[in-house]
Amino acid sequence: MFQKGLKDVVAVHTKIASVDGDIGELRYRGVQVDKLAATSTFEQLATFIWTGERGFEKDLELNQCRELPAHIIAIIDALPKEISLMDAMRTAISAYAHTEYKEKTIAEQAVLLTAALPMIVARHYRNQLGLPVITANKELSHTANYLWMLTGEMPSDVQVEALETYLKLTMEHGLNASTFAARVTISTESDLTAAITSALGTMKGPLHGGAPSGVISMLNEFEDLSQIRTIVKNKIENGEKIMGFGHRIYKTEDPRSIILREKCLELQGKDAWLDIATIAEKEIIELLAEYKPGRKLYTNVEYYAAAIMRSINMPSELFTPTFSIARMVGWTAHAIEQLEDNTIFRPQSIYVGEIK
C-alpha cells in the first residue's frame, strides 16, 4: 500500500500519548491533558511522560543539571551570531556525545538534555544580542529559570504561569514529524544525542515547528478593540488566511487551545495582550462561521501560544526554540520507548522512473 507522507499509516504502538482529532482529545499516558496540566508542574508532568508514574518529580535532577559542560559552552560561544537558534541548539546537543555523558543511563541522559536545552537557547540568544550570559538559578522552576536566563530579570508569576501552561501542553503530541525522526534514528541503535539532533533538525522546518509569527502580526493589528471585527472581515473578504485557526489533525477544537484560553481568561485583566486575544477570538469565530460555513475552522494551539509569547515579550525567533524545549520531553520519552521493543524502520519505496 502506498500512502504519500505515510498519512494515517500506523508505524508504532505507544503508551506515551494518544491524539483523537475527531473528538478533539489529547491524552498523556491515558490521562486527559487538561487534568494533568491543571494539577502538575512542568517537572511532575515530564516525569509522568517519561515513566508513567505520578506522585514524585525529577525537579531536583533538572535543577542539578543546570550547568553546561565547558566544551558545550566553548562551542556555543564560538558560533557566529547570525547562526539561528535552532541551528545552535542542534550543534550544541550533538556535542553531548562524550564519555561522561555516555556513562549515564538513557533515562538520566533524557533529564540532562531536557535541563540543558533552555541554557543553550538562552546563551546563544544573549550572545546574538551582545549581552552578558545569565547564570542559571537552581532555586527557580524549569520555566521560571528559562525566562530568567533570557532576560536577567525575575519573571512575574503571571508570566511563568502562562508560559508553563503552554510548555505542558506541547510536551508531547503523538507521532508527529520530529518525534518520528527521533524514533527512526534511535531505531538504528544509535544514541539519544543523535535522535534529538534529528528531531531538532526536523522541528526547524516551517511546515512543522514554524513560529506562529502570523498570529502575532494579526494580534498587533487588534490594539484598537473596536476595529477587530472590521479588520478580520476585510481579511476574509480579501482571501487572506486567518492565522491560528484550523488544524490538520483536529476536526473540532484543539484541546490545547481550550486550556490555554481558560488560562488566559483566568489571567484576564493582568495582561493586555491576553485580553486582546480572548476578545478577538470570539469575533473571529463568529465571522469564520458566517463566511465559511461548514469548514469547522476552530482555534488551534498556535493562536493562544502566540498571545502568551507576545504577553511575555518573547520575540518571534524564540518561538520554535521554546516549542522545542517543551517537546524535548516527548522526544526523549519516545526514544526510550523505541529501544524497549526495537525494530529498525525500513519502509518500502516504489520506483516510478523510466526503465531503460
Side-chain angles (χ1 to χ4, degrees):
M1 180 184 75
F2 170 65
Q3 186 63 274
K4 191 173 183 179
L6 300 180
K7 182 179 179 181
D8 297 327
V9 174
V10 176
V12 301
H13 287 166
T14 182
K15 295 179 180 179
I16 298 170
S18 59
V19 183
D20 191 324
D22 292 330
I23 63 174
E25 184 178 86
L26 171 62
R27 292 175 180 265
Y28 292 166
R29 292 195 178 272
V31 184
Q32 289 189 7
V33 72
D34 58 335
K35 297 176 182 177
L36 291 168
T39 59
S40 307
T41 64
F42 177 96
E43 291 83 357
Q44 289 168 337
L45 193 48
T47 299
F48 181 59
I49 289 174
W50 282 325
T51 67
E53 297 184 48
R54 302 180 72 178
F56 70 99
E57 57 189 81
K58 289 186 177 290
D59 57 346
L60 179 61
E61 291 93 330
L62 282 170
N63 291 355
Q64 295 306 311
C65 290
R66 285 182 189 159
E67 188 173 336
L68 293 173
H71 75 284
I72 301 291
I73 291 173
I75 288 169
I76 297 170
D77 291 349
L79 293 172
K81 291 181 179 179
E82 61 269 20
I83 293 289
S84 75
L85 284 163
M86 292 302 294
D87 288 331
M89 293 158 67
R90 185 178 57 193
T91 300
I93 288 294
S94 69
Y96 264 93
H98 60 283
T99 304
E100 183 181 347
Y101 168 82
K102 286 184 175 180
E103 290 173 352
K104 297 181 181 295
T105 67
I106 191 170
E108 291 170 336
Q109 291 173 10
V111 175
L112 187 150
L113 294 180
T114 301
L117 203 57
M119 295 187 289
I120 293 168
V121 172
R123 190 175 191 95
H124 186 61
Y125 175 67
R126 291 187 68 85
N127 284 347
Q128 286 180 316
L129 298 179
L131 297 173
V133 172
I134 304 298
T135 303
N137 186 331
K138 294 184 179 181
E139 302 303 315
L140 296 177
S141 70
H142 189 74
T143 305
N145 181 61
Y146 176 50
L147 290 172
W148 158 251
M149 289 188 298
L150 286 174
T151 65
E153 298 177 1
M154 198 59 65
S156 69
D157 291 342
V158 171
Q159 290 175 321
V160 174
E161 189 175 351
L163 181 58
E164 178 143 323
T165 300
Y166 167 73
L167 294 178
K168 289 187 290 187
L169 294 175
T170 51
M171 280 183 178
E172 164 59 12
H173 204 243
L175 201 61
N176 54 81
S178 56
T179 299
F180 184 50
R183 290 193 78 132
V184 170
T185 299
I186 204 77
S187 79
T188 68
E189 296 188 356
S190 185
D191 52 40
L192 188 61
T193 299
I196 300 307
T197 303
S198 296
L200 284 166
T202 307
M203 179 67 93
K204 179 185 174 184
L207 293 183
H208 182 32
S213 54
V215 180
I216 291 289
S217 299
M218 183 175 69
L219 290 176
N220 283 336
E221 298 180 53
F222 294 162
E223 287 191 81
D224 182 349
L225 297 179
S226 66
Q227 293 298 308
I228 292 175
R229 192 172 187 85
T230 300
I231 292 169
V232 175
K233 190 173 181 179
N234 288 339
K235 286 181 179 293
I236 295 174
E237 291 178 348
N238 291 332
E240 296 180 43
K241 184 177 180 181
I242 307 300
M243 305 303 292
F245 292 81
H247 193 279
R248 180 177 177 181
I249 300 296
Y250 294 109
K251 302 302 185 288
T252 181
E253 274 199 281
D254 184 332
R256 300 168 298 175
S257 71
I258 296 172
I259 300 165
L260 287 176
R261 180 197 300 121
E262 290 172 352
K263 179 57 63 177
C264 290
L265 289 171
E266 280 180 30
L267 301 173
Q268 202 158 34
K270 298 180 181 180
D271 184 277
W273 280 101
L274 299 183
D275 293 349
I276 289 171
T278 52
I279 294 168
E281 183 195 29
K282 183 174 182 295
E283 298 279 6
I284 293 169
I285 289 292
E286 288 178 359
L287 286 167
L288 286 173
E290 177 184 336
Y291 279 86
K292 301 177 184 291
R295 288 285 302 277
K296 297 182 179 180
L297 294 173
Y298 298 99
T299 317
N300 64 39
V301 72
E302 283 193 351
Y303 179 80
Y304 275 108
I308 285 172
M309 300 300 189
R310 182 65 179 80
S311 75
I312 61 177
N313 298 314
M314 185 172 282
S316 59
E317 60 265 30
L318 281 165
F319 288 1
T320 307
T322 301
F323 185 5
S324 302
I325 285 169
R327 190 54 60 82
M328 176 66 87
V329 176
W331 292 335
T332 51
H334 275 271
I336 292 168
E337 183 181 65
Q338 180 65 36
L339 290 180
E340 290 172 352
D341 183 23
N342 186 49
T343 299
I344 189 171
F345 284 92
R346 182 58 174 90
Q348 295 296 316
S349 60
I350 298 174
Y351 177 72
V352 296
E354 292 184 38
I355 302 295
K356 298 180 182 179

